[in-house]
Amino acid sequence: VENAPLSPKPKQGHLPIVIGARGPRMLKLVARYADTWNCHGSPDEVAARGETLREACIAIGRDPGSIRWSLYGYASVLGSDPFASVDTFRRIVEPYRAVGVREVIFELPDRYDERVLRGIVEDVLPEWRYSSGRNALNVERGQPTCRW
């Protein structure tokens, strides 16, 4: 983008750019501009698109590791409610972690067991934080975002 001034300037400096993309053309834009790539699909689909993204990054001389992978977890794709239990959360998220996803966004169901959320926050995310050096759980507008 050229000749598109932003005013007033953001307080924190650089505003992170998140781009959701599936196809090769959009993944090239992710490679060029994004701080975070937001994806969806099965772990195999995410891995295949991630490889396309890596190739696009290499083609322009960008470190593919500089782009954070984020997943929007649609219930229809996941096959079950990730908040049914701590074990269900692990079972659903681990395959995405294995292919490179480092942040997930889920729609919080109308009814959920706070003990499950507490178990995820107190047991699962700290374990993942230890293995990757990061962790946060944000709940904004009813959508928990889990980062590790």
Side-chain angles (χ1 to χ4, degrees):
V1 178
E2 296 178 30
N3 298 318
L6 176 64
S7 183
K9 300 287 184 209
K11 285 184 176 182
Q12 72 269 35
H14 172 74
L15 288 175
I17 297 173
V18 179
I19 299 177
R22 295 179 61 175
R25 181 172 163 256
M26 285 301 296
L27 289 167
K28 287 179 183 177
L29 292 174
V30 171
R32 183 164 307 280
Y33 299 110
D35 299 296
T36 300
W37 167 47
N38 185 258
C39 59
H40 72 278
S42 71
D44 289 340
E45 291 169 330
V46 171
R49 292 180 193 130
E51 186 55 35
T52 302
L53 176 58
R54 282 186 193 94
E55 291 168 1
C57 286
I58 291 167
I60 62 168
R62 181 171 182 185
D63 173 10
S66 69
I67 299 173
R68 181 175 191 81
W69 291 17
S70 173
L71 172 80
Y72 192 95
Y74 291 98
S76 61
V77 173
L78 300 174
S80 62
D81 174 11
F83 301 108
S85 71
V86 172
D87 289 338
T88 302
F89 183 86
R90 282 183 189 275
R91 180 180 51 76
I92 289 172
V93 176
E94 282 289 354
Y96 290 100
R97 288 187 71 229
V99 299
V101 170
R102 291 296 171 258
E103 174 181 276
V104 293
I105 303 167
F106 297 114
E107 293 181 14
L108 195 60
D110 292 335
R111 295 182 186 188
Y112 58 90
D113 185 340
E114 285 188 32
R115 294 170 298 183
V116 173
L117 288 179
R118 191 170 297 119
I120 293 166
V121 170
E122 293 176 357
D123 299 330
V124 178
L125 295 180
E127 174 188 321
W128 291 348
R129 175 187 59 209
Y130 179 77
S131 68
S132 68
R134 298 185 61 126
N135 185 48
L137 175 69
N138 299 319
V139 179
E140 297 177 13
R141 291 173 284 160
Q143 296 181 336
T145 302
C146 306
R147 295 184 181 107
W148 53 89

